[in-house]
Structure formats: C-alpha cells, structure tokens
Amino acid sequence: MECPHLSSSVCITPDSAKFPNGSPSSWCCSVCRSNKSPWVCLTCSSVHCGRYVNGHAKKHYEDAQVPLANHKKSEKQDKPQHTVCMDCSSYSTYCYRCDDFVVNDTKLGLVQKVREHLQNLENSAFTADRHRKRKLLENSSLNTKLLKVNGSTTGICATGLRNLGNTCFMNAILQSLSNIEQFCCYFKELPAVELRNGKTAGRRTYHTRSQGDNNVSLVEEFRKTLCALWQGSQTAFSPESLFYVVWKIMPNFRGYQQQDAHEFMRYLLDHLHLELQGGFNGVSRSAILQENSALSGSNKCCINGASTVVTAIFGGILQNEVNCLICGTESRKFDPFLDLSLDIPSQFRNKRSKNQENGPVCSLRDCLRSFTDLEELDETELYMCHKCKKKQKSTKKFWIQKLPKVLCLHLKRFHWTAYLRNKVDTYVEFPLRGLDMKCYLLEPENSGPESCLYDLAAVVVHHGSGLPWPIFPNHQFGFHLYPN
C-alpha cells in the first residue's frame, strides 16, 4: 500500500544511523536480546523483535505514541512517530499506523537507501564468513547431507524457512515439495515475471493485503521461493510474498493461526494446477500444455480437462466399484486423485507405541489394505441402484488403476463421534524404501516390477492435538507426508 506516514517517520540515513555490528538478519532485539525476526525502526535505528516473537517492535511504536497523546495535532505532525520499521531479513517495510506493508518511498528515497545499506551489510558479513563455511563444507561430517540419486551425489536443500506466526504448516509443505526434484526443477526453470515499468522499475515487488487479486501470481511466488531455497546464499528465507499471495487466493488461510498441512497442500497444488492451465509469465497456454504432456507421457492423469506438471507428477486414478447386494448390478467410476486419505484400522486404535504389549503393530500396509478392502455400506450410505430404481444395500471397493510418480498418503488422525473428535495417536510403521503398491493395482500384471516401488522422500509430522499427516515416491522422485 501507499503509506502517508513515511515523511514523518523515516528519518535515518545509512551515513548517520548507528546500526549494530554483524549481519542484519542476526541482529538482536535491544530489549529481550532475541535474534529471531529482527526489525529496525526507521526513525531511530533501534532494533526490536517482531510481534510473533515478543512484540517489542510494536511496543516501541506504542510507547512512542504516549508522549504525543496530550500534544496538539500540529505538534504531533512535526515530531517523529516511530511508526515505520523494516524487516532485517527480507527488507520489507511495515507501517504500524496503516497496519500493512509499504511499497512507496520518501521523496529522497530513504527507504530504498536503508534497504540497500542493510543488503550491503548482509553481503559483507557473508563474505567474511565464507572462509569458515568453505572449511565446513570440506568437513567429512557434511557428507551426511548428500543424497545419492541414480548413482550420482547431489546436495539436499539446506536453506530454512522463517515462521511467520504459526506458518509451520506451510513451511513443512514447501520444504517437502522443494525436495521433489522433477517438480522443483520445473518451476525453477519457468521464466520470471518481467519487472514493472515506471517509478518502481528494478525494485523488488512486495505483495500487500491492499493489492487486487489481478496483481498476484501464485506460480511466480512459488517459483521465487523454490529458487531462494536452492540458492544456498542464506541460512533462512522468509516466504512473506508467497504467504500474502496465499491470503489473496486462498481466504481459508488468512491470518497467522495454525492450519492443516494436508489441506494447505491440496489447496496449493489445486491452485498451481489451475494457474498453469491458463498460461503464465508470457508463456502461452499451448506451450505449457505441450511441456506438461511431455512430462506426463501417454499415461497421464487429467483434472478439470487438462494435464499440468502437478497432475503429471502427483496424479493417479482410482476405480470405485459398487455392487448392489439385491440384483448384483455393478457400477464402476474412475476418479483422479492427488493423494490418498487412509483410515487407521480400528483394531489398532489403542496401540500408541511400538513396544506396547497389547496387540500387533499397525503398519502402512494395514492402512492401505483397509482402504482397498471390500466394504459393505451402512444404512446411511445406501446405493441408488439404477436397475432396482431405489436405494439398496451394496458393497464398495477401491482399486488403483494408475499409480502416480509421487504418491502422497494422508493418515486420518482424527476420529469423530456424535459430539466431539479425538486424535488417533496409534503408532504406524512404514518402510523407508521399497513400499510395494503392486497388490493394490487393478491390473498388476501390466505393471513392471520396479514401477510400483516407492522410497520415502519426505515426512510431515504434527505434534500436539491439532491436525497432522505422509509422502511416497516411486523411482527417484516422490515424497511421503506422515502424521505423528
């Protein structure tokens, strides 16, 4: 947004301000000495922590307003107000009076000068630390951070994501997706959005809550986030721009409260799929679809009439088979899927740890078997038989007609009763390598022995009473999100 308070609040210049030593991203709050989420006041250059740490930056602003309360309006305008601060990690600017991020600048361009100065300080600290990092990289202990793929050794993504309140649900999914090689490479190789013209040409674009929906692109912000995670130039990256785009196009995730990681991933993949269908960054829709077609090959899974990199990698097909128990009529339906939600069998509900004595340990195969077993529908789910012309008792069975390249499995960790829900904390075993899905296929004889094997690539674990959930790949791709 265009902030009207910059002229009265931005008073420091890089030459006159007394900044702390070291890199800005590691500066400590002058009150609690925390180095998490440091913000610098653009009135007095003091450093405080953000509102989702101990909130001393906001308290600094509020304390500065108390002496002004008894002053006249004219006096209030002349005195600096400490309302504008800058994030020392992402260099985005925030105004507490407007309660929004700021995209404009003062007439003298002081905001941009401070931003460039902080970037220079960060780069200088990075250069000074480079020699030490080189020694660490040469240390044999870092060999554990290397992953063998097809006989070659590649480095695993080692850049972290900063928590923006309670956004660990988003960060866990982004880190998991960033390590799906084919999926990640596709987005990193997309062309970037061209810089805007006019006064803001060449400057970084910040998405704010006041911008219209037409000004945001989920694909572009997702691409920039993946690039930042793999550059290796910083230990942590703040995905603010992506988060505000998520606010724009996914209203369910607005705010800073906890959310369901599984639900976020489905929304994210669905919206990426929809945006890629319509063309992106000047790339024609036909060109994108042609590239997606090459990815998916002849056996592709389409959702909403088109295939993209999302469905080419995560898309599979289920066959839903329903049989009427009265006349024997069989109904078959094919449904595309991006993940499978599995119930934990009721006989394992009380098994909370591996070493607990009462009964066998639940395995992922038990959950898959329960998902694909023949099931008789209860009275609340009677099947409308077209031959009997009325609702009848029936059986239902799922088959997997086509396996995806990356298999995402969601364990249902909540059990619902008439009045409340309970978390199912059953211990579930799963293999790290060689999950064989062949026995769950509709036509296993038509699949090669290795096309049905999946190795674990990522796990999302939720601690507590909130919402948890897995990801499995086949070949060298994939990931598995798993609840605790």
Side-chain angles (χ1 to χ4, degrees), residues 202-407:
R203 296 184 191 171
R204 181 177 172 179
T205 302
Y206 298 96
H207 291 298
T208 73
R209 283 169 282 182
S210 60
Q211 286 179 303
D213 292 344
N214 295 330
N215 295 328
V216 299
S217 167
L218 180 63
V219 172
E220 169 64 5
E221 292 304 332
F222 185 68
R223 182 196 68 81
K224 289 194 290 187
T225 300
L226 293 180
C227 289
L229 285 174
W230 282 96
Q231 280 178 348
S233 59
Q234 51 188 343
T235 56
F237 171 74
S238 182
E240 309 181 306
S241 296
L242 174 63
F243 192 41
Y244 285 120
V245 172
V246 168
W247 281 25
K248 288 288 185 183
I249 63 178
M250 306 180 201
N252 291 355
F253 295 96
R254 285 179 183 168
Y256 298 95
Q257 64 271 27
Q258 295 184 29
Q259 301 282 358
D260 180 15
H262 176 220
E263 184 181 4
F264 173 76
M265 183 177 178
R266 284 306 312 268
Y267 269 89
L268 179 66
L269 292 179
D270 287 345
H271 280 83
L272 289 173
H273 173 67
L274 290 173
E275 193 170 319
L276 286 170
Q277 286 185 73
F280 168 73
N281 290 359
V283 182
S284 68
R285 181 178 186 276
S286 59
I288 286 182
L289 292 180
Q290 185 177 359
E291 185 172 352
N292 289 327
S293 178
L295 276 169
S296 57
S298 59
N299 191 18
K300 60 186 178 181
C301 168
C302 298
I303 297 178
N304 295 331
S307 176
T308 67
V309 66
V310 175
T311 55
I313 292 179
F314 297 101
I317 299 176
L318 278 177
Q319 177 178 294
N320 184 358
E321 195 174 280
V322 180
N323 283 280
C324 176
L325 293 178
I326 305 301
C327 67
T329 299
E330 184 179 274
S331 173
R332 293 179 182 179
K333 182 181 178 183
F334 295 93
D335 298 310
F337 68 88
L338 295 179
D339 64 74
L340 297 178
S341 292
L342 309 179
D343 285 303
I344 296 175
S346 57
Q347 64 266 31
F348 300 105
R349 292 279 168 84
N350 296 324
K351 187 79 171 181
R352 298 186 177 183
S353 66
K354 183 177 181 179
N355 299 322
Q356 193 172 332
E357 294 182 359
N358 57 332
V361 175
C362 180
S363 70
L364 186 61
R365 290 182 177 86
D366 292 319
C367 300
L368 286 165
R369 193 178 302 113
S370 175
F371 178 78
T372 55
D373 275 350
L374 187 68
E375 172 191 4
E376 184 172 342
L377 301 178
D378 58 30
E379 296 291 336
T380 62
E381 299 177 299
L382 292 178
Y383 164 65
M384 183 63 189
C385 179
H386 297 290
K387 187 174 181 180
C388 298
K389 304 297 182 181
K390 62 178 181 178
K391 291 185 176 182
Q392 301 282 27
K393 287 187 175 181
S394 59
T395 59
K396 180 179 71 173
K397 181 175 176 59
F398 284 119
W399 296 95
I400 300 176
Q401 191 201 44
K402 173 188 174 293
L403 283 167
K405 291 183 177 180
V406 176
L407 176 62

Side-chain angles (χ1 to χ4, degrees), residues 87-142:
D87 188 335
C88 299
S89 301
S90 65
Y91 316 115
S92 55
T93 310
Y94 191 87
C95 176
Y96 281 108
R97 288 189 67 184
C98 298
D99 193 25
D100 203 349
F101 285 88
V102 178
V103 296
N104 59 318
D105 204 339
T106 64
K107 292 181 179 180
L108 298 177
L110 294 180
V111 175
Q112 183 63 18
K113 288 180 180 179
V114 173
R115 180 178 290 122
E116 292 172 355
H117 183 67
L118 295 186
Q119 289 173 332
N120 291 334
L121 290 177
E122 188 76 31
N123 293 335
S124 299
F126 174 76
T127 303
D129 203 39
R130 185 177 296 171
H131 183 66
R132 181 182 64 84
K133 286 186 176 181
R134 280 181 180 173
K135 286 187 176 181
L136 288 174
L137 288 172
E138 292 169 0
N139 194 300
S140 59
S141 64
L142 289 182

